[in-house]
Amino acid sequence: MNEDTIITGPLYASRKKVYPQATHGTFRRIKWFLLCATLGVYYLMPFLRWDRGPNLPDQAVLIDMPHRRFYFFFIQIWPQEVYYFTGLLIIAAMTLFMMNAVAGRVWCGYLCWQTVWTDLFYAVERWVEGDRRERMLKDKKGFTIRHAFEIGLKNFLWLMIAWWTGGAFVLYFADAPTLVKQLLTFQAPGVAYTWIAILTFTTFMFAGYMREQTCIYICPWPRIQAAMTDEWALNVSYERDRGEPRMSVKKAAAAHAKGVPAGDCIDCQQCVAVCPTGVDIRNGSQLGCIQCGLCIDACDNVMKEIGRPPRLIFYDTDINIQRRAQGLKPIYRPIRPRTLIYPIMIALVGSVMVWKLATRSDLGVNVLHDRNPLAMPMADGGVRNGYTVRLLNKQPNDRAVKLSVSGAPGLNLKIMDGATEGQATVGPDQTLELRVLVIAPPDAIPSSPSPITFTAEDVTGQAKASVSDHFFPK
């Protein structure tokens, strides 16, 4: 840039209010189905019950912060098993990357919570204030008593949806029916009201007023996915070679009669009117396009009315856009390295998680060797090492556990906390810390530090867990 160049005017275009118009068609039905399914799961899941037996909560999905447990139907996750959440995050990331490789920002258009709640808020707005044309006329006229009433009703309904959104979130952290009763009688913990207030405000603002600005300016995913996509990914595209030059139906008929080229696009602006972010897809791929497909439905409806083939706007690849411009047939490559790598990684991580869940024990043991001194000589010439052993019982009932040591011949184990015959009772869903001595008689003292293994076994033989450490002769 020349040093004398002077930039005048704003760096960013001022925001123009978007008035999305209602439409109908295949992609709109898909969006309605996914909206109902995802919101149904979110709002109703806390009320599902799952019988886990005595001494355990019966809520199907519960994040039990006081006891540091996560319950998901038949699965129970302890704090020591946080790696499962790591696995879930990896699977979620790989799934998002795979969706991007197949169809661009399809996540944004159908499943993102911002899209889902904004769609719901738009539906309420249309029900109260009317469709695009009515809302634009009412805003242009300015203040009227009727319009003020409609705005007040709309905001009230938005606030109720936002309030229940925040309320549903906190129900995942406590028994849902009990917490609902406490909330209604103002006996719930203060932290519950705090989080409900925070989520009510954020949902109300993001879905009600910030809307497309969240997708364009706040969310980082559009920038990330743009760097990760390739020319074979499907994206909502305008078939320019078929649509141009644009002209009305009458002018197109006259042009055809004269043998002059005329495009199928009649410049009706319906694709722009239905877009939730106000994008004109005919201008090519843009940051604001969330790939929701509503412009496809709108354009198909217009094409049907004027008797022209559908899919003037549809999901296509950059490669095919270039091929059509050259008069070549479209080709598709849904199977390519990146669409294979992501499913393989998902399957691999998922398989490891399933294997760990299937083979994990509901009994655990941890050992900490005394640091000072490492070994203590005894009066009879033997040597003892001290350890702190923690037994972990993941069952909802008392459990008798036998502790033993192996690895070096002649070693004896002695529990100092009153347990007899190497056996201790661990309470339901609890841990038990034991002070343990491992004694080597004079004739069994190893010549160097020796690896040993502590084994905790249920007296019924149903579960076993072990951990390794060392025995030091001096």
Side-chain angles (χ1 to χ4, degrees):
M1 182 180 293
N2 191 300
E3 292 182 1
D4 297 329
T5 301
I6 300 176
I7 300 175
T8 59
L11 294 175
Y12 298 95
S14 59
R15 186 200 175 200
K16 295 181 180 180
K17 186 174 181 180
V18 178
Y19 298 86
Q21 181 174 301
T23 188
H24 62 276
T26 301
F27 297 100
R28 179 65 268 183
R29 286 192 292 271
I30 293 173
K31 284 174 67 66
W32 280 131
F33 171 78
L34 292 175
L35 182 148
C36 294
T38 52
L39 291 184
V41 169
Y42 176 76
Y43 288 126
L44 300 178
M45 185 72 78
F47 296 98
L48 292 181
R49 302 292 100 182
W50 187 270
D51 185 13
R52 298 184 177 87
N55 303 319
L56 288 177
D58 65 350
Q59 187 163 310
V61 181
L62 177 65
I63 303 172
D64 189 354
M65 297 298 287
H67 298 95
R68 294 181 295 175
R69 306 285 186 276
F70 172 66
Y71 300 95
F72 185 81
F73 293 93
F74 62 91
I75 299 173
Q76 179 183 170
I77 304 298
W78 282 55
Q80 298 89 340
E81 298 170 328
V82 69
Y83 48 82
Y84 286 114
F85 293 102
T86 303
L88 288 176
L89 290 175
I90 294 173
I91 291 176
M94 293 300 106
T95 302
L96 188 60
F97 299 160
M98 183 178 68
M99 294 173 71
N100 174 62
V102 173
R105 291 177 65 185
V106 66
W107 160 265
C108 301
Y110 296 91
L111 293 170
C112 174
W113 41 84
Q114 173 68 15
T115 297
V116 170
W117 264 279
T118 301
D119 254 2
L120 179 61
F121 276 44
Y122 273 139
V124 171
E125 186 174 59
R126 294 190 189 104
W127 179 70
V128 174
E129 295 188 59
D131 208 350
R132 171 184 167 88
R133 185 179 298 274
E134 290 84 352
R135 297 200 306 276
M136 292 177 71
L137 288 174
K138 288 173 182 177
D139 284 352
K140 188 175 181 180
K141 287 181 180 179
F143 178 82
T144 65
I145 295 177
R146 178 180 177 83
H147 193 201
F149 171 77
E150 290 176 347
I151 292 176
L153 177 60
K154 174 188 72 176
N155 281 273
F156 172 77
L157 295 176
W158 282 356
L159 194 61
M160 290 299 98
I161 295 172
W163 169 75
W164 186 241
T165 299
F169 178 80
V170 300
L171 296 183
Y172 285 92
F173 293 83
D175 182 68
T178 302
L179 184 55
V180 168
K181 183 178 179 180
Q182 291 175 340
L183 289 169
L184 293 176
T185 57
F186 300 99
Q187 297 178 348
V191 67
Y193 293 107
T194 300
W195 276 107
I196 290 175
I198 293 173
L199 291 170
T200 297
F201 174 77
T202 53
T203 304
F204 181 80
M205 292 303 299
F206 280 105
Y209 287 97
M210 299 181 70
R211 295 179 172 178
E212 77 282 354
Q213 301 297 297
T214 302
C215 303
I216 297 173
Y217 296 113
I218 298 178
C219 180
W221 178 236
R223 284 87 177 166
I224 297 173
Q225 76 88 30
M228 295 183 62
T229 193
D230 63 8
E231 66 273 16
W232 294 102
L234 292 169
N235 291 286
V236 175
S237 307
Y238 169 62
E239 194 172 343
R240 180 170 295 276
D241 59 299
R242 175 188 152 191
E244 302 295 330
R246 308 172 197 172
M247 59 185 70
S248 67
V249 177
K250 289 183 178 181
K251 289 183 179 180
H256 285 306
K258 296 177 181 179
V260 178
D264 282 350
C265 179
I266 61 174
D267 206 15
C268 62
Q269 299 287 319
Q270 285 299 296
C271 56
V272 182
V274 302
C275 181
T277 60
V279 164
D280 188 344
I281 193 62
R282 296 172 298 176
N283 294 332
S285 181
Q286 298 161 65
L287 186 68
C289 179
I290 61 172
Q291 309 290 328
C292 64
L294 294 182
C295 55
I296 302 177
D297 286 338
C299 188
D300 283 354
N301 294 335
V302 173
M303 292 296 106
K304 183 178 179 181
E305 289 180 5
I306 64 176
R308 295 179 183 175
R311 296 301 191 257
L312 178 60
I313 301 173
F314 64 115
Y315 282 95
D316 203 1
T317 67
D318 291 344
I319 288 289
N320 285 335
I321 292 174
Q322 297 173 11
R323 290 179 64 85
R324 284 191 178 88
Q326 300 168 8
L328 302 175
K329 291 183 178 180
I331 56 175
Y332 297 93
R333 285 183 56 189
I335 306 301
R336 54 191 193 277
R338 69 174 61 198
T339 60
L340 290 174
I341 292 173
Y342 295 140
I344 290 173
M345 294 183 67
I346 292 171
L348 180 62
V349 175
S351 299
V352 171
M353 292 176 63
V354 170
W355 174 75
K356 286 290 293 182
L357 280 171
T359 58
R360 70 175 182 171
S361 174
D362 57 6
L363 178 67
V365 58
N366 292 296
V367 172
L368 179 64
H369 196 292
D370 288 354
R371 295 302 179 190
N372 189 20
L374 289 175
M376 178 70 71
M378 302 179 65
D380 62 357
V383 175
R384 74 182 188 195
N385 284 197
Y387 303 84
T388 300
V389 177
R390 184 178 293 273
L391 301 176
L392 175 64
N393 176 23
K394 299 180 181 180
Q395 287 190 351
N397 47 266
D398 289 338
R399 197 172 201 176
V401 178
K402 187 174 183 179
L403 187 65
S404 60
V405 65
S406 60
L411 296 182
N412 299 316
L413 182 143
K414 182 178 181 181
I415 300 177
M416 302 298 294
D417 298 299
T420 58
E421 299 181 356
Q423 182 174 309
T425 300
V426 189
D429 201 25
Q430 294 179 12
T431 61
L432 177 65
E433 187 175 287
L434 299 174
R435 175 64 178 165
V436 172
L437 299 179
V438 175
I439 302 171
D443 57 349
I445 299 176
S447 58
S448 62
S450 300
I452 59 174
T453 300
F454 289 86
T455 300
E457 184 176 5
D458 191 316
V459 295
T460 63
Q462 295 178 351
K464 181 187 293 186
S466 59
V467 64
S468 298
D469 208 291
H470 287 81
F471 182 88
F472 294 88
K474 58 181 179 179

